[in-house]
Amino acid sequence: MKMPDKLKQKYIKQKPNTWRYVIADIHGCAKTVKKLVEEVVVPSKSDQLFLLGDYIDRGPASGEVIDYILYLIEQGYAVYPLHGNHEENMLDDIKEYGKESLEMMVRKITKCPDLLDECGSLKERYVNFMQSLPYYYEMDDCFLVHAGFDFKKPEPFQDYSAMIQFYIDNESYDTSVLNEKRMIHGHRITEIDYIEKLVNEKSQIISLDNGCAYRKKHKIYDYTKLGNLCCLELNSACTKS
Ligand SMILES: [Mn+2]
């Protein structure tokens, strides 16, 4: 996908005396993210709220999730959304499929009919939103990215497809290129005990996706350790001790 360079990464300055929150893969769980933001996180308008991508598919209300993000931005909250592979796939599908196949796919396969308008096309505001998303954010003490960086590649900070679909193995990941900064990512569904361990041990790499849409028995995953939408407070996660 071609896009202007300014959208590919952004350096974000930390504001003094504010909190920084990160929420990973929301996947159509609109009620959950609203509850999390409004009753648990309760950010002020000067706090920063980072979202790690994958807003759509799996859960029941993909369009509602994007509308909620747009609403928060409109209300003046400092929201920083990132690109996920599900948004990228949707944008590719728009280019690849004709109107009818796309409509069928969105209704039957990805199951997010609330992304469609009454003519069966993807609503323009969702397409515009998905096209506007950067691939990673860098701050003075951390990187935020949907999936991760592939440091085996010669130009890891140019490899945008890795950023949305790289599958990180926390145990063997080479962190030397991060310059001692933390890296917070989603995409890889991670059991809640392990997320807590990474946070408590102040791990340099933190996986934050607990598969919030997985609330029932699943072929691959132990659903009893999934199903939460996690939020990490970056100031405390990034302190050294
Ligand atoms: Mn993903």
Side-chain angles (χ1 to χ4, degrees):
M1 190 175 68
K2 271 220 162 329
M3 59 166 60
D5 275 349
K6 69 178 170 64
L7 297 178
K8 288 180 176 167
Q9 70 93 16
K10 281 186 178 167
Y11 202 96
I12 308 286
K13 265 206 104 45
Q14 183 181 354
K15 295 192 272 176
N17 308 316
T18 58
W19 299 106
R20 296 177 294 164
Y21 302 102
V22 190
I23 297 176
D25 311 42
I26 303 167
H27 277 304
C29 295
K31 275 190 188 166
T32 312
V33 72
K34 286 180 191 177
K35 193 113 181 144
L36 177 63
V37 170
E38 286 162 21
E39 292 181 28
V40 182
V41 179
V42 202
S44 77
K45 286 186 179 169
S46 54
D47 292 333
Q48 293 171 315
L49 178 60
F50 297 92
L51 306 169
L52 297 183
D54 279 6
Y55 312 105
I56 62 171
D57 302 344
R58 293 188 188 146
S62 295
E64 204 182 323
V65 170
I66 298 180
D67 281 331
Y68 184 58
I69 298 168
L70 296 173
Y71 164 81
L72 290 173
I73 295 169
E74 213 179 270
Q75 292 297 305
Y77 287 94
V79 183
Y80 300 86
L82 278 176
H83 204 52
N85 55 312
H86 285 250
E87 286 76 49
E88 178 105 337
N89 290 345
M90 187 61 80
L91 290 174
D92 288 345
D93 289 345
I94 295 172
K95 277 189 244 146
E96 212 168 297
Y97 294 101
K99 187 183 162 300
E100 271 159 40
S101 339
L102 182 73
E103 181 182 356
M104 212 225 16
M105 219 192 55
V106 172
R107 284 191 198 283
K108 301 269 158 67
I109 300 174
T110 55
K111 294 199 177 82
C112 30
D114 71 339
L115 293 178
L116 300 169
D117 63 19
E118 57 279 7
C119 307
S121 300
L122 232 57
K123 288 179 189 164
E124 211 184 325
R125 65 176 184 277
Y126 299 146
V127 179
N128 291 341
F129 171 75
M130 291 190 259
Q131 283 174 337
S132 76
L133 300 167
Y135 282 75
Y136 73 97
Y137 295 119
E138 183 177 2
M139 301 191 81
D140 288 340
D141 54 3
C142 66
F143 289 95
L144 303 170
V145 61
H146 177 63
F149 302 103
D150 185 353
F151 291 132
K152 294 203 169 94
K153 296 275 174 64
E155 302 266 16
F157 294 108
Q158 306 285 325
D159 189 339
Y160 302 103
S161 83
M163 290 173 205
I164 53 169
Q165 52 205 1
F166 186 68
Y167 199 71
I168 284 189
D169 177 359
N170 290 57
E171 306 296 326
S172 64
Y173 196 62
D174 173 16
T175 56
S176 53
V177 191
L178 291 173
N179 259 336
E180 299 200 351
K181 292 188 184 192
R182 297 294 205 288
M183 183 178 102
I184 321 297
H185 71 92
H187 185 62
R188 180 182 173 160
I189 293 176
T190 306
E191 294 185 351
I192 195 70
D193 306 350
Y194 193 63
I195 296 177
E196 280 173 354
K197 177 174 155 357
L198 294 170
V199 173
N200 291 337
E201 290 177 356
K202 294 197 175 282
S203 166
Q204 191 177 359
I205 311 284
I206 296 178
S207 314
L208 205 57
D209 179 13
N210 189 234
C212 64
Y214 292 103
R215 309 275 309 177
K216 291 186 190 135
K217 245 187 155 85
H218 192 275
K219 273 181 265 166
I220 308 168
Y221 302 114
D222 175 359
Y223 78 104
T224 62
K225 293 177 178 167
L226 303 178
N228 305 285
L229 184 61
C230 298
C231 179
L232 180 72
E233 201 290 297
L234 265 182
N235 294 357
S236 46
C238 289
T239 50
K240 302 269 174 196
S241 53

